[in-house]
Amino acid sequence: MTATTTRAEIPERTLRTDRWWLPQLTTTAGLLVFIGYSTWRAFEGAHYYAAPYVSPFYSPCLAARCVPMRGGADWAVVGDWWRLSPALLVLVFPLGFRLTCYYYRKAYYRAFWASPPACAVGEQHARYTGETRFPLILQNLHRYFFYLAIPVAGILTYDAVLGFRNAAGQWGHAGLGTLVLLGNVALIWAYTLSCHSCRHIVGGRLRHFSRHPVRYRAWQLVGRLNARHMQLAWLSLASVGLADLYVYLVSSGVFADPKLF
Ligand code: FES
């Protein structure tokens, strides 16, 4: 067989006869829904706290103008000069993590750029430089966004635990919102730990697994999650949007948080 860098000389765009465009269509629709909703909520700058729940889009709330939470704007490190929505200060981290994620790259390259549209479907662009040039070379920052995603997940865990306090700050409360935040943070951790970079950090660069049994065990666990990375990417995207929506609806008075105990 002769190696070649050009496409086979066939007039058809593809010889595939299945509905190869269907996953791209559903991916595009799903991403557009999330982008539209999250953009509106990120810029709204309101209805992000319904005691004791804080929206994951606004946590940690870093601006001095954040609504008082838990007896004070406890994460406020940015002064009054910040006039935009506080969400914009924090969303850059999870956004960078997801934008550079290996799975999401595949999803949005296919969904929005059609580059490539699918396996064995002809590339429409005249040139293909992959991720070797600016700006796509910045995708290599993914590992660093992974490091930043860990404290973000930790803070969301803290928020979920505080969901066991009532609006007055006393422990021993749980409402539907507590379950919503717990479910969300569980999926956020599962997605974060299923990251390909995490798998490499945990188990990469080892010559002998037998000399590193703890890392080997951790690598196996991460590997099992990693095999579900796509599903976890979508589930955690949906859960973070639903958690925010829940806080929005309770905060804006659409319904009261049902108390469980
Ligand atoms: Fe998807 Fe790292 S590869 S989060």
Side-chain angles (χ1 to χ4, degrees):
M1 192 173 77
T2 310
T4 174
T5 56
T6 57
R7 184 168 184 259
E9 293 287 334
I10 54 172
E12 290 84 1
R13 189 176 175 202
T14 180
L15 297 178
R16 286 181 65 169
T17 55
D18 61 329
R19 291 186 292 174
W20 58 264
W21 43 267
L22 193 55
Q24 276 66 291
L25 201 62
T26 48
T27 299
T28 308
L31 290 178
L32 284 178
V33 167
F34 185 81
I35 291 168
Y37 174 79
S38 58
T39 303
W40 164 60
R41 283 291 290 145
F43 281 90
E44 190 188 23
H47 300 305
Y48 51 84
Y49 183 59
Y53 314 124
V54 57
S55 159
F57 286 5
Y58 285 80
S59 185
C61 207
L62 298 174
R65 65 193 293 256
C66 291
V67 297
M69 302 178 190
R70 306 157 188 152
D74 45 2
W75 298 99
V77 291
V78 178
D80 274 334
W81 56 269
W82 181 263
R83 306 310 299 168
L84 301 175
S85 165
L88 302 180
L89 291 168
V90 289
L91 281 183
V92 60
F93 303 112
L95 183 67
F97 185 47
R98 293 207 181 231
L99 269 182
T100 57
C101 162
Y102 295 8
Y103 165 68
Y104 282 112
R105 280 190 236 175
K106 171 189 153 189
Y108 65 75
Y109 286 168
R110 290 185 174 190
F112 298 124
W113 272 279
S115 178
C119 289
V121 180
E123 171 77 42
Q124 295 297 290
H125 303 79
R127 283 190 329 133
Y128 177 77
T129 55
E131 295 172 339
T132 59
R133 310 232 173 122
F134 183 83
L136 291 185
I137 199 166
L138 295 178
Q139 303 280 29
N140 289 310
L141 293 174
H142 183 63
R143 165 178 288 237
Y144 303 102
F145 278 115
F146 167 75
Y147 292 134
L148 292 170
I150 297 290
V152 170
I155 289 165
L156 296 186
T157 307
Y158 173 73
D159 291 339
V161 170
L162 291 191
F164 286 100
R165 296 196 315 189
N166 61 20
Q170 294 155 332
W171 291 98
H173 156 95
L176 182 58
T178 313
L179 295 185
V180 170
L181 294 191
L182 280 176
N184 176 52
V185 82
L187 286 168
I188 293 284
W189 272 116
Y191 168 66
T192 304
L193 296 177
S194 71
C195 169
H196 293 69
S197 289
C198 176
R199 188 164 181 261
H200 181 70
I201 291 164
V202 168
R205 294 171 182 254
L206 293 181
R207 283 185 183 276
H208 307 287
F209 270 136
S210 57
R211 291 187 194 157
H212 304 273
V214 175
R215 287 185 65 181
Y216 178 56
R217 183 83 186 114
W219 177 78
Q220 283 182 311
L221 290 172
V222 170
R224 276 204 277 279
L225 285 174
N226 182 257
R228 301 266 178 278
H229 193 57
M230 180 182 80
Q231 291 90 333
L232 291 169
W234 281 107
L235 286 172
S236 59
L237 196 71
S239 76
V240 79
L242 286 172
D244 172 78
L245 179 63
Y246 188 88
V247 173
Y248 169 78
L249 292 175
V250 174
S251 169
S252 54
V254 174
F255 64 86
D257 176 50
K259 188 174 174 183
L260 302 181
F261 60 82

